[in-house]
């Protein structure tokens, strides 16, 4: 019974992540850094990490990236590879810091956001062989700290509400 609940929850998280990623793709970028997004879809990855475990977070994040790209028609495009490389490096670092048990969800979120930017800059440099893109990294890292904190705050608030609902309905 518990595994069925987990599968349903993870499917719901993948669906929510896809929805958030698609909605955010329609929001125009008004910041002077090309392609910067806040990363609202990462809320579901953090929420999955807080409620379940590291493998579940990996499953939700990677499925979200692939399925959202498939739905938007950008599978195997440059934006897909940027999303996948940033997401992959972000997941690796969030896993390392979660296992180290040094940071709260806020620190893990900021680490994930920062390494997502690093992964994207590495990939864009490899794809286009344009090394000047690395000049955007300090700005991207500063913005990643802000967006990582914002995503952690939202994720923590959702987590608190989900926990209250689980207690209210006898799930915990």
């Amino acid at each position: 019974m518990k595994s069925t609940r987990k599968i349903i929850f993870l499917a719901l998280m993948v669906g929510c992540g896809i929805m958030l990623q698609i909605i955010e793709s329609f929001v125009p970028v008004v910041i002077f850094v090309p392609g910067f997004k806040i990363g609202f879809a990462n809320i579901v990855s953090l929420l999955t990490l807080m409620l379940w475990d590291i493998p579940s977070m990996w499953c939700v994040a990677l499925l979200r990236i692939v399925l959202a790209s498939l739905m938007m028609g950008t599978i195997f495009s440059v934006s897909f590879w940027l999303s996948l490389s940033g997401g992959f490096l972000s997941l690796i670092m969030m896993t390392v810091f979660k296992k180290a048990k040094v940071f709260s969800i806020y620190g893990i979120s900021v680490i994930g956001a920062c390494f997502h930017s690093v992964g994207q800059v590495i990939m864009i440099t490899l794809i286009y062989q344009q090394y000047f893109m690395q000049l955007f990294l300090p700005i991207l890292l500063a913005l990643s700290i802000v967006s990582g904190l914002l995503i952690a705050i939202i994720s923590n608030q959702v987590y608190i509400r989900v926990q209250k609902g689980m207690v209210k309905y006898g799930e915990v």
Side-chain angles (χ1 to χ4, degrees):
M1 180 78 163
K2 188 168 182 161
S3 66
T4 304
R5 287 181 192 266
K6 183 176 180 179
I7 291 170
I8 291 170
F9 175 81
L10 296 180
L12 178 66
M13 290 293 98
V14 170
C16 289
I18 290 169
M19 180 189 68
L20 289 170
Q21 186 171 335
I22 291 172
I23 289 170
E24 192 172 18
S25 73
F26 291 123
V27 176
V29 178
V30 293
I31 298 178
F32 53 91
V33 178
F36 179 78
K37 301 280 185 188
I38 292 175
F40 287 113
N42 295 323
I43 293 169
V44 298
S45 298
L46 282 175
L47 189 60
T48 303
L49 179 62
M50 289 189 286
L51 289 170
W52 291 98
D53 52 15
I54 291 170
S56 298
M57 175 187 67
W58 275 79
C59 180
V60 166
L62 294 177
L63 277 172
R64 171 191 54 87
I65 291 167
V66 171
L67 293 175
S69 294
L70 188 62
M71 290 178 170
M72 291 188 296
T74 59
I75 193 83
F76 303 124
S77 68
V78 172
S79 65
F80 168 76
W81 292 114
L82 291 176
S83 182
L84 188 64
S85 63
F88 191 73
L89 189 56
S90 162
L91 288 169
I92 289 171
M93 296 313 293
M94 288 191 325
T95 299
V96 167
F97 282 91
K98 174 68 175 175
K99 285 185 176 184
K101 298 179 181 175
V102 176
F103 291 108
S104 68
I105 198 65
Y106 296 95
I108 291 170
S109 178
V110 169
I111 291 293
C114 288
F115 278 94
H116 193 278
S117 294
V118 170
Q120 286 187 327
V121 168
I122 290 170
M123 184 55 72
I124 201 78
T125 302
L126 291 173
I127 290 172
Y128 290 119
Q129 298 294 311
Q130 297 294 324
Y131 299 97
F132 74 91
M133 293 303 291
Q134 296 170 0
L135 296 174
F136 285 112
L137 194 56
I139 299 167
L140 284 170
L141 291 175
L143 292 170
S144 295
I145 292 169
V146 174
S147 66
L149 286 173
L150 176 66
I151 296 304
I153 290 167
I154 295 169
S155 299
N156 196 43
Q157 290 301 310
V158 173
Y159 174 73
I160 290 167
R161 284 163 177 73
V162 168
Q163 286 292 85
K164 284 181 185 176
M166 291 172 79
V167 168
K168 181 178 179 181
Y169 294 107
E171 297 293 324
V172 178

